[in-house]
Amino acid sequence: MIPEDLEAKIVQAKSQDAVPFFVNATAGTTVQGAFDPLKRIADICERNGMWMHVDAAWGGSVLFSKKHRHLVAGIERANSVTWNPHKMLLTGLQCSVILFRDTTNLLMHCHSAKATYLFQQDKFYDTSLDTGDKSIQCGRKVDCLKLWLMWKAIGASGLSQRVDKAFALTRYLVEEMEKRENFQLVCKGPFVNVCFWFIPPSLKGKENSPDYQERLSKVAPVIKERMMKRGTMMVGYQPMDEHVNFFRMVVVSPQLTTKDMDFFLDEMEKLGKDL
């Protein structure tokens, strides 16, 4: 998100008698792993009296790392945050969290139907303990128990190590990828998403050919098919904006090692060298 553009859109909306009230920032986009500048967005939201929400489903786990938490600097100023520990921290699926800075029991005010056939108000205990009346979905599993158990088992230091290792392996993968002529990075992102094209030998040096982009777009689907049929890997690909199909390698598992990164690069070369 470009803060200057955000501010301009707010001014434009107000000039049309609209009432802008909500800004959705992102901490860790799905494809490139990008982080919005949360401090500057928070400044704009506070100046305009707007609710600031941060979708940190993918990137929120960097808070556990002293090395990398700067990526979400300003998140503490958000009015609400979503976070999925089942992503980067690998809590068992599913484990989704929404946090509010509000302390007025906002979800209860918004969602409670006070259905007496489910949540009687004249029970002998504190009825605020009936959290089902405020959740968006009434019947659900106790997601937080998975997070609590994992946190108790390996501690905050263990979660920090998990995040730091993912970043370290990502750096290693990018460095090794840059040493090989058949890999081209789409961008160098700040997170653990590695976006790249595999350039087969048949396409080397033909970047200026009129059909280059069309031919390059067909590489990823074929390699994906081959890796799945061989049963060696599952790595996703996608086009984005003006970019044709490129691979997105996401490094998160604490069981991965540099040997796995080397295997990944070698296997990509084996799968695509004859295209």
Side-chain angles (χ1 to χ4, degrees), residues 206-231:
K206 298 183 179 179
E207 292 81 4
N208 296 321
S209 301
D211 63 345
Y212 178 80
Q213 292 295 320
E214 180 185 356
R215 292 173 68 188
L216 182 60
S217 71
K218 297 176 180 178
V219 172
V222 174
I223 293 179
K224 172 76 172 184
E225 178 184 355
R226 290 179 174 183
M227 71 172 68
M228 292 186 70
K229 286 182 175 179
R230 280 169 63 109

mmCIF file of all heavy atoms in Angstrom, residues 206-231:
data_model
loop_
_atom_site.group_PDB
_atom_site.id
_atom_site.type_symbol
_atom_site.label_atom_id
_atom_site.label_comp_id
_atom_site.label_asym_id
_atom_site.label_seq_id
_atom_site.Cartn_x
_atom_site.Cartn_y
_atom_site.Cartn_z
ATOM 1 N N LYS A 206 17.266 -15.392 -25.250
ATOM 2 C CA LYS A 206 16.197 -15.065 -26.207
ATOM 3 C C LYS A 206 15.152 -14.129 -25.610
ATOM 4 O O LYS A 206 14.003 -14.097 -26.043
ATOM 5 C CB LYS A 206 15.534 -16.355 -26.699
ATOM 6 C CG LYS A 206 16.506 -17.275 -27.436
ATOM 7 C CD LYS A 206 15.832 -18.512 -27.978
ATOM 8 C CE LYS A 206 16.832 -19.394 -28.737
ATOM 9 N NZ LYS A 206 16.196 -20.624 -29.261
ATOM 10 N N GLU A 207 15.572 -13.351 -24.583
ATOM 11 C CA GLU A 207 14.639 -12.473 -23.877
ATOM 12 C C GLU A 207 13.974 -11.452 -24.797
ATOM 13 O O GLU A 207 12.864 -10.982 -24.512
ATOM 14 C CB GLU A 207 15.384 -11.731 -22.750
ATOM 15 C CG GLU A 207 15.835 -12.630 -21.607
ATOM 16 C CD GLU A 207 17.136 -13.373 -21.920
ATOM 17 O OE1 GLU A 207 17.730 -13.131 -22.997
ATOM 18 O OE2 GLU A 207 17.562 -14.195 -21.087
ATOM 19 N N ASN A 208 14.617 -11.108 -25.903
ATOM 20 C CA ASN A 208 14.059 -10.101 -26.804
ATOM 21 C C ASN A 208 13.221 -10.691 -27.933
ATOM 22 O O ASN A 208 12.725 -9.950 -28.781
ATOM 23 C CB ASN A 208 15.199 -9.249 -27.403
ATOM 24 C CG ASN A 208 15.931 -8.450 -26.328
ATOM 25 O OD1 ASN A 208 15.320 -7.936 -25.393
ATOM 26 N ND2 ASN A 208 17.256 -8.359 -26.452
ATOM 27 N N SER A 209 13.071 -11.999 -27.925
ATOM 28 C CA SER A 209 12.247 -12.637 -28.966
ATOM 29 C C SER A 209 10.777 -12.289 -28.740
ATOM 30 O O SER A 209 10.321 -12.205 -27.595
ATOM 31 C CB SER A 209 12.422 -14.157 -28.930
ATOM 32 O OG SER A 209 13.782 -14.510 -29.132
ATOM 33 N N PRO A 210 10.002 -12.099 -29.811
ATOM 34 C CA PRO A 210 8.594 -11.692 -29.652
ATOM 35 C C PRO A 210 7.732 -12.710 -28.912
ATOM 36 O O PRO A 210 6.740 -12.349 -28.281
ATOM 37 C CB PRO A 210 8.116 -11.507 -31.100
ATOM 38 C CG PRO A 210 9.102 -12.252 -31.947
ATOM 39 C CD PRO A 210 10.404 -12.180 -31.224
ATOM 40 N N ASP A 211 8.107 -13.982 -28.970
ATOM 41 C CA ASP A 211 7.303 -15.014 -28.308
ATOM 42 C C ASP A 211 7.914 -15.480 -26.982
ATOM 43 O O ASP A 211 7.491 -16.495 -26.422
ATOM 44 C CB ASP A 211 7.115 -16.221 -29.230
ATOM 45 C CG ASP A 211 8.439 -16.913 -29.584
ATOM 46 O OD1 ASP A 211 9.521 -16.295 -29.353
ATOM 47 O OD2 ASP A 211 8.404 -18.045 -30.086
ATOM 48 N N TYR A 212 8.909 -14.741 -26.479
ATOM 49 C CA TYR A 212 9.620 -15.186 -25.264
ATOM 50 C C TYR A 212 8.677 -15.314 -24.063
ATOM 51 O O TYR A 212 8.680 -16.339 -23.367
ATOM 52 C CB TYR A 212 10.747 -14.205 -24.935
ATOM 53 C CG TYR A 212 11.506 -14.558 -23.665
ATOM 54 C CD1 TYR A 212 12.488 -15.547 -23.668
ATOM 55 C CD2 TYR A 212 11.227 -13.905 -22.459
ATOM 56 C CE1 TYR A 212 13.182 -15.877 -22.519
ATOM 57 C CE2 TYR A 212 11.916 -14.232 -21.298
ATOM 58 C CZ TYR A 212 12.888 -15.214 -21.329
ATOM 59 O OH TYR A 212 13.562 -15.545 -20.186
ATOM 60 N N GLN A 213 7.886 -14.293 -23.793
ATOM 61 C CA GLN A 213 7.000 -14.315 -22.632
ATOM 62 C C GLN A 213 5.973 -15.437 -22.730
ATOM 63 O O GLN A 213 5.668 -16.107 -21.745
ATOM 64 C CB GLN A 213 6.297 -12.963 -22.474
ATOM 65 C CG GLN A 213 7.215 -11.811 -22.095
ATOM 66 C CD GLN A 213 7.836 -11.994 -20.725
ATOM 67 O OE1 GLN A 213 7.192 -12.453 -19.788
ATOM 68 N NE2 GLN A 213 9.113 -11.643 -20.599
ATOM 69 N N GLU A 214 5.460 -15.649 -23.935
ATOM 70 C CA GLU A 214 4.478 -16.718 -24.124
ATOM 71 C C GLU A 214 5.102 -18.084 -23.846
ATOM 72 O O GLU A 214 4.497 -18.937 -23.180
ATOM 73 C CB GLU A 214 3.919 -16.678 -25.547
ATOM 74 C CG GLU A 214 2.883 -17.763 -25.826
ATOM 75 C CD GLU A 214 2.434 -17.795 -27.277
ATOM 76 O OE1 GLU A 214 2.877 -16.919 -28.062
ATOM 77 O OE2 GLU A 214 1.675 -18.719 -27.627
ATOM 78 N N ARG A 215 6.321 -18.286 -24.354
ATOM 79 C CA ARG A 215 6.996 -19.567 -24.140
ATOM 80 C C ARG A 215 7.373 -19.740 -22.664
ATOM 81 O O ARG A 215 7.235 -20.833 -22.102
ATOM 82 C CB ARG A 215 8.233 -19.654 -25.023
ATOM 83 C CG ARG A 215 7.907 -19.741 -26.511
ATOM 84 C CD ARG A 215 9.157 -19.643 -27.368
ATOM 85 N NE ARG A 215 10.027 -20.822 -27.201
ATOM 86 C CZ ARG A 215 11.247 -20.913 -27.724
ATOM 87 N NH1 ARG A 215 11.744 -19.902 -28.427
ATOM 88 N NH2 ARG A 215 11.971 -21.998 -27.530
ATOM 89 N N LEU A 216 7.827 -18.652 -22.039
ATOM 90 C CA LEU A 216 8.198 -18.726 -20.623
ATOM 91 C C LEU A 216 7.000 -19.065 -19.749
ATOM 92 O O LEU A 216 7.123 -19.794 -18.754
ATOM 93 C CB LEU A 216 8.811 -17.394 -20.176
ATOM 94 C CG LEU A 216 9.293 -17.311 -18.730
ATOM 95 C CD1 LEU A 216 10.372 -18.354 -18.450
ATOM 96 C CD2 LEU A 216 9.814 -15.907 -18.411
ATOM 97 N N SER A 217 5.836 -18.572 -20.117
ATOM 98 C CA SER A 217 4.628 -18.815 -19.310
ATOM 99 C C SER A 217 4.253 -20.288 -19.264
ATOM 100 O O SER A 217 3.545 -20.735 -18.359
ATOM 101 C CB SER A 217 3.452 -18.008 -19.870
ATOM 102 O OG SER A 217 3.013 -18.536 -21.114
ATOM 103 N N LYS A 218 4.735 -21.071 -20.250
ATOM 104 C CA LYS A 218 4.378 -22.493 -20.324
ATOM 105 C C LYS A 218 5.342 -23.388 -19.544
ATOM 106 O O LYS A 218 5.079 -24.580 -19.368
ATOM 107 C CB LYS A 218 4.336 -22.932 -21.793
ATOM 108 C CG LYS A 218 3.262 -22.212 -22.601
ATOM 109 C CD LYS A 218 3.325 -22.604 -24.074
ATOM 110 C CE LYS A 218 2.251 -21.869 -24.880
ATOM 111 N NZ LYS A 218 2.324 -22.193 -26.326
ATOM 112 N N VAL A 219 6.446 -22.796 -19.075
ATOM 113 C CA VAL A 219 7.464 -23.602 -18.396
ATOM 114 C C VAL A 219 6.970 -24.108 -17.045
ATOM 115 O O VAL A 219 7.068 -25.302 -16.725
ATOM 116 C CB VAL A 219 8.764 -22.780 -18.223
ATOM 117 C CG1 VAL A 219 9.758 -23.543 -17.343
ATOM 118 C CG2 VAL A 219 9.374 -22.475 -19.588
ATOM 119 N N ALA A 220 6.457 -23.209 -16.222
ATOM 120 C CA ALA A 220 6.061 -23.580 -14.858
ATOM 121 C C ALA A 220 4.995 -24.675 -14.817
ATOM 122 O O ALA A 220 5.120 -25.626 -14.036
ATOM 123 C CB ALA A 220 5.601 -22.340 -14.093
ATOM 124 N N PRO A 221 3.923 -24.586 -15.632
ATOM 125 C CA PRO A 221 2.919 -25.662 -15.579
ATOM 126 C C PRO A 221 3.482 -27.038 -15.917
ATOM 127 O O PRO A 221 3.093 -28.040 -15.308
ATOM 128 C CB PRO A 221 1.875 -25.215 -16.621
ATOM 129 C CG PRO A 221 2.012 -23.729 -16.692
ATOM 130 C CD PRO A 221 3.484 -23.468 -16.504
ATOM 131 N N VAL A 222 4.425 -27.097 -16.866
ATOM 132 C CA VAL A 222 5.001 -28.398 -17.245
ATOM 133 C C VAL A 222 5.876 -28.946 -16.116
ATOM 134 O O VAL A 222 5.794 -30.128 -15.765
ATOM 135 C CB VAL A 222 5.814 -28.271 -18.554
ATOM 136 C CG1 VAL A 222 6.525 -29.598 -18.859
ATOM 137 C CG2 VAL A 222 4.907 -27.883 -19.702
ATOM 138 N N ILE A 223 6.719 -28.088 -15.542
ATOM 139 C CA ILE A 223 7.579 -28.536 -14.443
ATOM 140 C C ILE A 223 6.730 -28.960 -13.247
ATOM 141 O O ILE A 223 7.039 -29.963 -12.580
ATOM 142 C CB ILE A 223 8.574 -27.429 -14.049
ATOM 143 C CG1 ILE A 223 9.577 -27.195 -15.178
ATOM 144 C CG2 ILE A 223 9.307 -27.786 -12.759
ATOM 145 C CD1 ILE A 223 10.601 -26.112 -14.911
ATOM 146 N N LYS A 224 5.666 -28.218 -12.966
ATOM 147 C CA LYS A 224 4.763 -28.575 -11.864
ATOM 148 C C LYS A 224 4.174 -29.967 -12.091
ATOM 149 O O LYS A 224 4.130 -30.799 -11.170
ATOM 150 C CB LYS A 224 3.644 -27.536 -11.772
ATOM 151 C CG LYS A 224 2.521 -27.880 -10.804
ATOM 152 C CD LYS A 224 2.929 -27.676 -9.371
ATOM 153 C CE LYS A 224 1.728 -27.844 -8.448
ATOM 154 N NZ LYS A 224 2.063 -27.568 -7.046
ATOM 155 N N GLU A 225 3.736 -30.229 -13.318
ATOM 156 C CA GLU A 225 3.176 -31.544 -13.632
ATOM 157 C C GLU A 225 4.216 -32.637 -13.427
ATOM 158 O O GLU A 225 3.938 -33.687 -12.833
ATOM 159 C CB GLU A 225 2.686 -31.560 -15.082
ATOM 160 C CG GLU A 225 2.133 -32.916 -15.520
ATOM 161 C CD GLU A 225 1.744 -32.946 -16.987
ATOM 162 O OE1 GLU A 225 1.818 -31.893 -17.658
ATOM 163 O OE2 GLU A 225 1.377 -34.045 -17.474
ATOM 164 N N ARG A 226 5.421 -32.379 -13.874
ATOM 165 C CA ARG A 226 6.473 -33.387 -13.768
ATOM 166 C C ARG A 226 6.840 -33.672 -12.314
ATOM 167 O O ARG A 226 7.045 -34.833 -11.939
ATOM 168 C CB ARG A 226 7.708 -32.931 -14.549
ATOM 169 C CG ARG A 226 7.531 -32.941 -16.048
ATOM 170 C CD ARG A 226 8.784 -32.457 -16.778
ATOM 171 N NE ARG A 226 8.661 -32.594 -18.230
ATOM 172 C CZ ARG A 226 9.625 -32.304 -19.087
ATOM 173 N NH1 ARG A 226 10.807 -31.871 -18.642
ATOM 174 N NH2 ARG A 226 9.451 -32.451 -20.383
ATOM 175 N N MET A 227 6.953 -32.626 -11.492
ATOM 176 C CA MET A 227 7.351 -32.860 -10.100
ATOM 177 C C MET A 227 6.286 -33.641 -9.350
ATOM 178 O O MET A 227 6.602 -34.463 -8.486
ATOM 179 C CB MET A 227 7.677 -31.536 -9.394
ATOM 180 C CG MET A 227 6.495 -30.646 -9.091
ATOM 181 S SD MET A 227 6.903 -29.218 -8.066
ATOM 182 C CE MET A 227 7.936 -28.236 -9.148
ATOM 183 N N MET A 228 5.018 -33.384 -9.677
ATOM 184 C CA MET A 228 3.947 -34.107 -8.987
ATOM 185 C C MET A 228 3.892 -35.561 -9.429
ATOM 186 O O MET A 228 3.665 -36.463 -8.622
ATOM 187 C CB MET A 228 2.616 -33.404 -9.212
ATOM 188 C CG MET A 228 2.536 -32.045 -8.530
ATOM 189 S SD MET A 228 0.906 -31.264 -8.633
ATOM 190 C CE MET A 228 -0.032 -32.340 -7.549
ATOM 191 N N LYS A 229 4.123 -35.800 -10.710
ATOM 192 C CA LYS A 229 4.100 -37.175 -11.207
ATOM 193 C C LYS A 229 5.303 -37.968 -10.707
ATOM 194 O O LYS A 229 5.207 -39.184 -10.489
ATOM 195 C CB LYS A 229 4.042 -37.184 -12.737
ATOM 196 C CG LYS A 229 2.667 -36.782 -13.278
ATOM 197 C CD LYS A 229 2.602 -36.833 -14.794
ATOM 198 C CE LYS A 229 1.183 -36.546 -15.277
ATOM 199 N NZ LYS A 229 1.090 -36.553 -16.765
ATOM 200 N N ARG A 230 6.428 -37.278 -10.506
ATOM 201 C CA ARG A 230 7.606 -37.935 -9.926
ATOM 202 C C ARG A 230 7.465 -38.105 -8.416
ATOM 203 O O ARG A 230 8.157 -38.935 -7.808
ATOM 204 C CB ARG A 230 8.866 -37.112 -10.216
ATOM 205 C CG ARG A 230 9.430 -37.314 -11.603
ATOM 206 C CD ARG A 230 10.509 -36.300 -11.927
ATOM 207 N NE ARG A 230 11.662 -36.409 -11.045
ATOM 208 C CZ ARG A 230 12.857 -36.874 -11.410
ATOM 209 N NH1 ARG A 230 13.023 -37.304 -12.649
ATOM 210 N NH2 ARG A 230 13.863 -36.907 -10.576
ATOM 211 N N GLY A 231 6.597 -37.305 -7.832
ATOM 212 C CA GLY A 231 6.375 -37.395 -6.391
ATOM 213 C C GLY A 231 7.486 -36.800 -5.555
ATOM 214 O O GLY A 231 7.669 -37.189 -4.398
#
